[in-house]
Amino acid sequence: MTELSIDTPLSLTAIRDLVTREEVDNEQVLHLTANETVLSPFAQNVLSTKLANRYLLEHLDMRLDSPSRLNNFLYRGLNRVNAIEQSATQVCRELFGAEYTEFRCLSGLHAMQTTFAALSQPGDKIMRISTKDGGHFLTELMCRSFGRRSTTYAFRDLCTIDIERTREIFERERPSLLYIDAMNYLFPFPLRELKQICGDVPLIFDASHTLGLIAGGQFQDPLAEGADILQANTHKTFFGPQKGLILGKSRSLMERITYTLSNGMVSSQHTASTLALFIALHEMYEDGREYAARVIENARHLAGLLNERGIPVLAADRGFTQNHMFFIDTRPLGAGPMLAKKLLDANISVNRSIAFEHIDTLRLGVQEITRRGYSGADLERIAGWIEHLLLRDANPESVARDVATFVVGRQNIRYCGKSAGPRRAPRGKPSPATPARPRWVNISLTKADNRCAPETVEAVRTLGAAAAVFEHQTDSAGNISVRTNGHTFVSASGSYLKDLASHDFVELVDFADWTLRCEGAGPPSAESYMHYLVRTSVDARYIVHNHYIPGDEIADLDVLVIPPKEYGSVQLAEAVAKAAPRSHIIYIRRHGLVFWSDTLEECTALMAQVASRRI
């Protein structure tokens, strides 16, 4: 390979030529890396869809059909993509046992950052796998970057957690999260035993390497075995693009994760990559079980062939591996980097990795060649090339020619599902009729001076200050209203609950023909119709709505939980109004809490009751 020296910007023609040549070279390489995959033609094609230019924002439960929304930001939605996401969500239930899904993470690392931010606080301690035992090399650095401390599991031997010593570490260190964050591993983890140790402390399993094997029912079943959260990137044993996902069974944990993503961790989830992920999920649903079984069979077979030829493979006494990867011990053979380069010069791509008590290894994975249909005789041939290169000092250039000829003829991709035909050209379709019941009410605002009495403003300021201190509450999030002397006032859109002023109130005058007539200086809160409608079902003088996403601390409180509804929608207003007669505290999932009462003292006490339980 000729080293390039770029002194001036390249022309687009030159860039196109370099990309083409890189693609040609790539197709001549035998890819045995454990951390990459190959997409199906359908998934690869959708990465260049024209929809890649369009936004896909928010969680599906809050996005709804066009016009879609992110808080108060409206945009043209992608209704058919929403339908595909609904199907992908159902696939995750069936493949992983996940009740809740998050597809918006851009990578596995982004998924980890999200769970860090959502489920722990600065200063908390996180239990992780040390790098010498196979842990990811970035976890400790991420703990530091997020202001978290860390401690590590105790291991007994290769890939085996010492449960009793780990129990002692847990009881001494009291971590707030347990992560299984391995990048080098061979066998399933004792999740049931770890969950018995940590109890209510969340146990998070990073399945980036083995997600496809889990989907195929061939490795372990993390959510059924005790993990609270399953997170992963989607491009190793899984059929997906370079993206991430988070899955779980716990409503409270997953809603904290969703809220965190929506409020600072992601905006666009990258529409094309998301579509490719949805396609990969459906391919796994159709063909994942057969594929996953063949991956493990191929990994063990190739590891055994190499070991028989005198190339030392770790864990030979345990069958080498129970997943897609295995490790060559380079210590009797030479320095890992030199051996890896020798294989690369022969067009055989592997990972060099320091693993398991600092052993210098070559890490090999068979997930990509399995998807290309490699099996018995092919693995014999591969083992022969590696033997000649590592043990018999074969000329890499000579082997490279044989490898290239062999690989170029094996470009077909299998396990692509049974129903993906050619894409049909888009065809125009008439828009659906406008429903009689609108998504939102209309607002008619008449400019007027504030008529809210100073003593009323002061009382509401007290409630606003109490509501604003909750976790997840940002400056302008939430809203508050008061009824006094026959008049109802609601906070204006964009006002700060923690520091309300007299000009921050708009009067709700009346409602007719789906129009809420208001008077004041600025537009009323997007949830004004909710404040209006609740008062038709209960005698509420004070109504407070903040954006706190509670956890299990509300389980024994008189809190009524209702499904997520679109911000500012008629559906949300109707759901809260229907719930209000049954409870003074209502939790709108993935959105926040509503408190109502006829007295200032009781409304304050309701908020204090929840605040005292916050975790």
Side-chain angles (χ1 to χ4, degrees), residues 436-506:
R437 178 167 158 276
R439 280 174 68 177
W440 316 295
V441 300
N442 188 32
I443 299 293
S444 174
L445 176 66
T446 301
K447 292 289 186 179
D449 293 334
N450 170 62
R451 291 195 293 269
C452 194
E455 60 272 18
T456 302
V457 172
E458 192 57 37
V460 176
R461 278 174 57 86
T462 302
L463 292 176
V469 299
F470 280 74
E471 186 183 357
H472 310 131
Q473 183 66 28
T474 56
D475 287 339
S476 60
N479 34 80
I480 191 168
S481 68
V482 59
R483 189 192 69 240
T484 177
N485 298 324
H487 298 271
T488 300
F489 298 91
V490 67
S491 55
S493 181
S495 56
Y496 286 15
L497 284 193
K498 67 180 181 181
D499 191 23
L500 290 167
S502 59
H503 60 267
D504 288 327
F505 292 93
V506 179

Side-chain angles (χ1 to χ4, degrees), residues 255-387:
E255 288 182 359
R256 285 172 173 262
I257 287 167
T258 290
Y259 188 90
T260 299
L261 271 169
S262 297
N263 291 271
M265 293 298 289
V266 72
S267 174
S268 170
Q269 58 183 295
H270 299 176
T271 304
S273 295
T274 301
L275 277 170
L277 173 57
F278 294 161
I279 291 165
L281 277 163
H282 287 81
E283 291 170 347
M284 274 286 172
Y285 182 70
E286 294 195 14
D287 289 337
R289 187 167 291 276
E290 179 185 349
Y291 155 81
R294 181 56 60 87
V295 166
I296 296 172
E297 178 184 329
N298 280 350
R300 287 183 149 185
H301 186 43
L302 181 56
L305 290 172
L306 292 171
N307 203 60
E308 290 170 2
R309 284 166 165 76
I311 296 174
V313 179
L314 296 180
D317 59 332
R318 298 171 64 182
F320 304 109
T321 184
Q322 289 183 30
N323 59 37
H324 64 298
M325 58 183 159
F326 60 89
F327 295 81
I328 293 173
D329 184 352
T330 68
R331 290 174 296 182
L333 305 175
M338 297 300 294
L339 298 174
K341 184 179 185 305
K342 194 169 191 178
L343 291 174
L344 282 173
D345 289 344
N347 279 3
I348 300 173
S349 178
V350 301
N351 302 130
R352 183 262 184 157
S353 186
I354 301 294
F356 315 125
E357 292 291 346
H358 309 300
I359 300 174
D360 195 353
T361 72
L362 298 179
R363 186 181 70 176
L364 282 69
V366 301
Q367 70 284 353
E368 183 169 337
I369 63 171
T370 299
R371 201 172 191 198
R372 293 195 184 277
Y374 288 42
S375 58
D378 306 313
L379 301 182
E380 292 271 3
R381 194 168 188 176
I382 292 169
W385 285 328
I386 295 175
E387 175 194 356

Side-chain angles (χ1 to χ4, degrees), residues 49 108 203 326 380 400 413 443 514 521 552 570:
T49 173
L203 173 60
F326 60 89
E380 292 271 3
I413 300 171
I443 299 293
W514 295 108
D552 294 333
V570 169

